[in-house]
Amino acid sequence: MKIAVLGYGTVGRSICKYIEGDSKDIQVAYVLRRPGKATEPFMTEDFDEILNDPSVGIVVDALSGRVDSYDYMKRALLSGKHVVTANKAAVAYGMEELCRIAVDHNVNLKYEATSAGTIPIVAEIVSTTHTNYLSAVYGILNGTTNFIIDKMLTEGSEFDATLKEAQRLGYAEADPTADIGGFDVKNKIIILASTAYHGFVTGDIPVFGIELLTKKILDDYAAKGKTIKLMGISVRKDNDYALGVVPCVIDMDSLEAHVPLNNNIVTIVGDMCGELKFYGQGAGGAPTADALLRDIYSIFNSVNIDVEFQFFRKLNYVPEMLRGAGYIGNDRVEGTLEEIVAEAKRRNEFVAFECPELFKA
Ligand code: HSE
């Protein structure tokens, strides 16, 4: 089967390298690059060349920008090609439309690589929902911010220097404000909650990043046997749900507190399985390429997960479902996640959220 890879950054290169070295069944027919960058015979600047080539079965989106990626994915699906993507911003933005087009054109849209790096969380959520009613999905979903928090806590590193190291290691987004501002996690929790709850969730959710986090805040919590992790959290009851992104206070002896470096951990809660936790590298070229390659192979092997057929619920966003306490400076404020994040933003102070039901703090 022939594929076309869009983009030749850390992830695009990893895919090409793997396929050149190891795959007899799959060939890279094209790599789409920006004008002036198509320096090899297999590279093109013209997306129409890919669309018009009937031998290309899968378009693999390894681009970072939302707008181009969304447009290319849509056109590929409309022309009857399968799409495998790592672009969380594009999928979170237009999941409903992309899934509908995929269904209408009888092709796959696979997005494992959008969320939690190499952890097979989309596949596991889809598999678990066959037998479970899922009532929560939450976790550490950003490698860059976990890396920063871990280095600050364990090595006393400076925020800015650690962010630069995360960029050098290929963990951070091209614009790292998406990582530290929580918007990368926002995209991921939207995608995972929609998949878990079988309906498309709103993008209008409370988001608070770690820009205001300091070593002193971490040390003060450590002295109380607690720590902070940036988390995407979502809960659901029947067709009602709530979700958000916020630094969370967790016990130092919890699994989440021990997640180091660029790793992520995602928890799903089901009525039969109870709490299931998935752990692994959440960022980096090879881990993300691995998730894309698994999606490519699942299409190639016709092991179709058919996630696009499962978004049948009309869900209601009910922010009151996520209640807890926010620690803003020296104040403890009770309320919904939405109210607490709004108050912290008004004061421009760091907030750490404690949701007793989720974290049993
Ligand atoms: N910038 C992202 C992260 C990459 O740090 O988690 C993986 O989605």
Side-chain angles (χ1 to χ4, degrees), residues 3-6 32 47-54 56-61 63 68-85 98 101-110:
I3 67 170
V5 178
L6 313 186
L32 182 75
F47 185 65
D48 284 333
E49 196 180 344
I50 295 168
L51 276 190
N52 295 332
D53 184 340
V56 172
I58 306 176
V59 170
V60 181
D61 169 28
L63 294 167
D68 283 350
S69 170
Y70 188 71
D71 179 57
Y72 292 145
M73 285 199 279
K74 201 168 148 178
R75 288 164 64 198
L77 293 168
L78 284 167
S79 74
K81 297 188 190 303
H82 302 291
V83 168
V84 170
T85 182
L98 292 174
I101 296 171
V103 171
D104 289 349
H105 290 77
N106 201 25
V107 284
N108 278 284
L109 168 68
K110 298 257 183 208

Coordinates of all heavy atoms in Angstrom, one line a residue, residues 3-6 32 47-54 56-61 63 68-85 98 101-110:
I3 N 1.5 5.3 0.8 CA 1.0 6.4 1.7 C 1.7 7.7 1.2 O 2.7 7.7 0.6 CB 1.3 6.1 3.1 CG1 2.9 6.1 3.4 CG2 0.7 4.7 3.6 CD1 3.2 6.1 4.9
A4 N 1.1 8.8 1.6 CA 1.7 10.1 1.5 C 1.8 10.7 2.9 O 0.9 10.6 3.7 CB 0.8 11.0 0.6
V5 N 3.0 11.2 3.2 CA 3.2 11.8 4.5 C 3.2 13.3 4.3 O 4.0 13.9 3.5 CB 4.6 11.3 5.1 CG1 4.9 12.0 6.4 CG2 4.6 9.8 5.2
L6 N 2.4 14.0 5.1 CA 2.3 15.4 5.1 C 3.2 16.0 6.2 O 3.0 15.8 7.4 CB 0.9 16.0 5.3 CG -0.2 15.3 4.5 CD1 -1.5 16.0 4.7 CD2 0.1 15.3 3.0
L32 N 4.8 15.6 1.5 CA 4.4 17.0 1.2 C 5.3 17.9 2.0 O 5.3 17.8 3.3 CB 3.0 17.2 1.5 CG 2.5 18.6 1.1 CD1 2.3 18.7 -0.4 CD2 1.1 18.9 1.8
F47 N -0.3 19.4 -3.0 CA -1.1 18.4 -2.4 C -2.1 17.7 -3.4 O -2.4 16.6 -3.3 CB -2.0 19.1 -1.3 CG -2.8 18.1 -0.5 CD1 -2.3 17.1 0.3 CD2 -4.2 18.1 -0.6 CE1 -3.0 16.2 1.0 CE2 -5.0 17.2 0.1 CZ -4.4 16.2 0.9
D48 N -2.4 18.5 -4.5 CA -3.3 17.9 -5.5 C -2.6 16.7 -6.2 O -3.3 15.8 -6.6 CB -3.6 18.9 -6.6 CG -4.7 19.9 -6.1 OD1 -5.5 19.5 -5.2 OD2 -4.7 21.1 -6.5
E49 N -1.3 16.7 -6.3 CA -0.6 15.6 -6.9 C -0.9 14.3 -6.1 O -1.1 13.2 -6.6 CB 0.9 15.9 -6.9 CG 1.7 15.0 -7.8 CD 3.2 15.3 -7.8 OE1 3.6 16.4 -7.3 OE2 4.0 14.4 -8.2
I50 N -0.9 14.5 -4.7 CA -1.3 13.3 -3.9 C -2.7 12.9 -4.0 O -3.0 11.7 -4.2 CB -1.0 13.7 -2.4 CG1 0.5 13.9 -2.2 CG2 -1.5 12.7 -1.4 CD1 0.9 14.6 -0.9
L51 N -3.6 13.9 -4.0 CA -5.0 13.6 -4.2 C -5.3 12.9 -5.5 O -6.2 12.0 -5.5 CB -5.8 14.9 -4.1 CG -6.2 15.5 -2.8 CD1 -7.2 16.7 -3.0 CD2 -6.8 14.5 -1.8
N52 N -4.6 13.3 -6.5 CA -5.0 12.8 -7.9 C -4.3 11.4 -8.2 O -4.5 10.9 -9.2 CB -4.6 13.8 -8.9 CG -5.5 15.0 -8.8 OD1 -6.6 15.0 -8.3 ND2 -4.9 16.2 -9.2
D53 N -3.5 10.9 -7.2 CA -2.8 9.7 -7.5 C -3.6 8.5 -6.8 O -3.6 8.4 -5.6 CB -1.4 9.7 -6.9 CG -0.6 8.4 -7.2 OD1 -1.2 7.4 -7.5 OD2 0.6 8.5 -7.1
P54 N -4.3 7.7 -7.6 CA -5.2 6.7 -7.0 C -4.4 5.6 -6.3 O -5.0 4.9 -5.5 CB -5.9 6.1 -8.2 CG -5.1 6.5 -9.4 CD -4.3 7.8 -9.1
V56 N -2.3 6.1 -3.9 CA -2.1 6.5 -2.6 C -3.4 6.1 -1.7 O -4.4 6.7 -2.0 CB -1.8 8.0 -2.4 CG1 -1.8 8.4 -1.0 CG2 -0.5 8.3 -3.1
G57 N -3.2 5.2 -0.8 CA -4.4 4.8 0.0 C -4.6 5.5 1.3 O -5.7 5.7 1.8
I58 N -3.4 6.0 1.9 CA -3.5 6.6 3.2 C -2.7 7.9 3.2 O -1.6 8.0 2.7 CB -2.9 5.7 4.3 CG1 -3.5 4.3 4.3 CG2 -3.1 6.4 5.7 CD1 -2.9 3.4 5.3
V59 N -3.4 9.0 3.6 CA -2.7 10.2 3.8 C -2.4 10.4 5.3 O -3.2 10.2 6.2 CB -3.6 11.4 3.4 CG1 -3.0 12.8 3.8 CG2 -3.8 11.4 1.9
V60 N -1.1 10.5 5.6 CA -0.6 10.5 7.0 C -0.2 12.0 7.3 O 0.7 12.5 6.8 CB 0.6 9.6 7.2 CG1 1.1 9.6 8.6 CG2 0.3 8.2 6.7
D61 N -1.0 12.6 8.2 CA -0.8 14.0 8.6 C 0.1 14.1 9.7 O -0.2 13.8 10.9 CB -2.2 14.5 8.9 CG -2.1 15.9 9.5 OD1 -1.2 16.6 9.2 OD2 -3.0 16.3 10.2
L63 N 1.7 17.2 10.2 CA 1.9 18.6 10.2 C 1.5 19.2 11.6 O 0.8 18.6 12.4 CB 0.9 19.3 9.2 CG 1.2 19.0 7.7 CD1 0.0 19.5 6.9 CD2 2.5 19.6 7.3
D68 N -3.9 24.3 7.8 CA -3.5 23.5 6.6 C -3.9 22.0 6.8 O -4.4 21.3 5.9 CB -2.0 23.6 6.3 CG -1.7 24.9 5.7 OD1 -2.6 25.6 5.3 OD2 -0.5 25.2 5.6
S69 N -3.6 21.5 8.0 CA -3.8 20.1 8.3 C -5.3 19.8 8.2 O -5.6 18.8 7.6 CB -3.3 19.9 9.7 OG -3.7 18.6 10.2
Y70 N -6.1 20.6 8.7 CA -7.6 20.4 8.6 C -8.1 20.3 7.2 O -8.8 19.4 6.8 CB -8.3 21.5 9.4 CG -9.8 21.2 9.6 CD1 -10.2 20.1 10.4 CD2 -10.7 21.8 8.9 CE1 -11.5 19.8 10.6 CE2 -12.1 21.5 9.0 CZ -12.4 20.5 9.9 OH -13.8 20.2 10.0
D71 N -7.6 21.3 6.4 CA -8.0 21.4 5.0 C -7.5 20.1 4.2 O -8.3 19.5 3.5 CB -7.4 22.6 4.4 CG -7.7 22.8 2.9 OD1 -8.9 22.8 2.6 OD2 -6.8 22.9 2.1
Y72 N -6.3 19.7 4.4 CA -5.8 18.5 3.7 C -6.5 17.3 4.2 O -6.8 16.4 3.3 CB -4.3 18.3 4.1 CG -3.3 19.4 3.5 CD1 -2.2 19.8 4.2 CD2 -3.6 20.0 2.2 CE1 -1.3 20.8 3.6 CE2 -2.8 21.0 1.7 CZ -1.6 21.3 2.4 OH -0.8 22.3 1.9
M73 N -6.7 17.1 5.5 CA -7.5 15.9 5.9 C -8.8 15.8 5.3 O -9.3 14.8 4.9 CB -7.6 15.9 7.5 CG -6.3 15.6 8.2 SD -6.6 15.1 9.8 CE -6.7 16.6 10.6
K74 N -9.5 17.0 5.3 CA -10.9 17.0 4.8 C -10.9 16.6 3.3 O -11.7 15.8 2.9 CB -11.4 18.4 4.9 CG -12.9 18.6 4.9 CD -13.2 20.0 5.4 CE -14.5 20.4 4.7 NZ -14.9 21.7 5.1
R75 N -10.0 17.2 2.5 CA -9.9 16.9 1.1 C -9.5 15.4 0.8 O -10.0 14.8 -0.1 CB -9.0 17.9 0.4 CG -9.6 19.3 0.3 CD -8.5 20.3 0.0 NE -8.0 20.1 -1.3 CZ -6.8 20.7 -1.7 NH1 -6.1 21.5 -0.9 NH2 -6.3 20.5 -2.9
A76 N -8.6 14.9 1.7 CA -8.2 13.5 1.5 C -9.4 12.6 1.7 O -9.7 11.7 1.0 CB -7.1 13.2 2.4
L77 N -10.1 12.8 2.8 CA -11.3 12.0 3.2 C -12.4 12.1 2.1 O -12.9 11.1 1.6 CB -11.9 12.4 4.5 CG -11.0 12.2 5.7 CD1 -11.6 12.9 7.0 CD2 -10.9 10.7 6.0
L78 N -12.6 13.3 1.6 CA -13.6 13.6 0.6 C -13.2 12.8 -0.7 O -14.1 12.4 -1.5 CB -13.8 15.1 0.2 CG -14.5 15.9 1.3 CD1 -14.4 17.4 1.1 CD2 -16.0 15.5 1.3
S79 N -11.9 12.7 -1.0 CA -11.5 12.0 -2.2 C -11.4 10.5 -2.0 O -10.8 9.8 -2.8 CB -10.2 12.6 -2.7 OG -9.1 12.1 -1.9
G80 N -11.8 10.0 -0.8 CA -11.9 8.5 -0.6 C -10.6 7.9 -0.1 O -10.4 6.7 -0.2
K81 N -9.7 8.8 0.5 CA -8.4 8.2 1.0 C -8.6 8.1 2.6 O -9.2 9.0 3.2 CB -7.2 9.1 0.7 CG -7.0 9.2 -0.8 CD -5.7 9.9 -1.2 CE -5.6 10.2 -2.7 NZ -5.6 9.0 -3.6
H82 N -8.0 7.1 3.1 CA -7.9 7.0 4.6 C -7.0 8.1 5.1 O -6.0 8.5 4.5 CB -7.4 5.6 5.0 CG -8.1 4.5 4.5 ND1 -9.4 4.2 5.0 CD2 -7.8 3.5 3.6 CE1 -9.8 3.1 4.4 NE2 -8.9 2.7 3.5
V83 N -7.3 8.5 6.3 CA -6.4 9.6 7.0 C -6.0 9.1 8.3 O -6.8 8.6 9.1 CB -7.2 10.9 7.1 CG1 -6.4 11.9 8.0 CG2 -7.4 11.6 5.7
V84 N -4.7 9.2 8.6 CA -4.1 8.9 9.9 C -3.4 10.2 10.3 O -2.6 10.8 9.6 CB -3.0 7.8 9.8 CG1 -2.3 7.7 11.1 CG2 -3.7 6.5 9.4
T85 N -3.7 10.7 11.5 CA -3.2 12.0 11.9 C -2.7 12.1 13.3 O -3.1 11.3 14.2 CB -4.3 13.1 11.7 OG1 -3.8 14.4 12.1 CG2 -5.5 12.8 12.6
L98 N -15.0 16.0 10.4 CA -14.1 15.0 9.8 C -14.7 13.6 10.0 O -14.6 12.8 9.0 CB -12.7 15.1 10.5 CG -11.9 16.4 10.3 CD1 -10.6 16.3 11.1 CD2 -11.6 16.5 8.8
I101 N -17.5 13.0 7.4 CA -17.0 12.9 6.1 C -16.4 11.5 5.9 O -16.7 10.8 4.9 CB -16.0 13.9 5.7 CG1 -16.6 15.3 5.7 CG2 -15.4 13.7 4.3 CD1 -15.6 16.5 5.6
A102 N -15.7 11.0 6.9 CA -15.1 9.7 6.9 C -16.2 8.6 6.7 O -16.1 7.7 5.9 CB -14.3 9.4 8.1
V103 N -17.3 8.8 7.5 CA -18.4 7.8 7.5 C -19.0 7.8 6.1 O -19.2 6.8 5.4 CB -19.4 8.1 8.6 CG1 -20.7 7.3 8.4 CG2 -18.8 7.9 9.9
D104 N -19.3 9.1 5.6 CA -20.0 9.2 4.3 C -19.2 8.6 3.2 O -19.7 8.2 2.2 CB -20.3 10.7 4.0 CG -21.3 11.3 4.9 OD1 -22.0 10.4 5.6 OD2 -21.5 12.5 5.0
H105 N -17.9 8.7 3.3 CA -17.0 8.2 2.2 C -16.4 6.8 2.5 O -15.5 6.3 1.7 CB -15.9 9.2 1.9 CG -16.5 10.5 1.2 ND1 -17.2 11.4 2.0 CD2 -16.6 10.8 -0.1 CE1 -17.6 12.3 1.1 NE2 -17.3 12.0 -0.1
N106 N -16.9 6.2 3.6 CA -16.5 4.8 3.9 C -15.0 4.7 4.0 O -14.4 3.7 3.4 CB -17.1 3.9 2.8 CG -17.1 2.5 3.3 OD1 -17.2 2.3 4.6 ND2 -17.1 1.5 2.5
V107 N -14.3 5.6 4.6 CA -12.9 5.5 4.9 C -12.6 5.8 6.3 O -13.5 6.2 7.1 CB -12.1 6.6 4.0 CG1 -12.0 6.2 2.6 CG2 -12.7 8.0 4.2
N108 N -11.4 5.4 6.8 CA -11.0 5.6 8.2 C -10.4 6.9 8.4 O -9.6 7.4 7.6 CB -10.0 4.5 8.5 CG -10.7 3.2 8.8 OD1 -11.2 3.0 9.9 ND2 -10.6 2.3 7.9
L109 N -10.7 7.5 9.6 CA -10.0 8.6 10.2 C -9.4 8.0 11.5 O -10.1 7.7 12.4 CB -10.9 9.7 10.4 CG -10.3 10.9 11.3 CD1 -9.2 11.6 10.6 CD2 -11.4 11.8 11.7
K110 N -8.1 7.9 11.6 CA -7.4 7.4 12.8 C -6.6 8.4 13.4 O -5.8 9.1 12.8 CB -6.5 6.2 12.3 CG -7.3 5.1 11.7 CD -7.4 4.0 12.7 CE -8.1 2.8 12.0 NZ -8.8 2.0 13.0

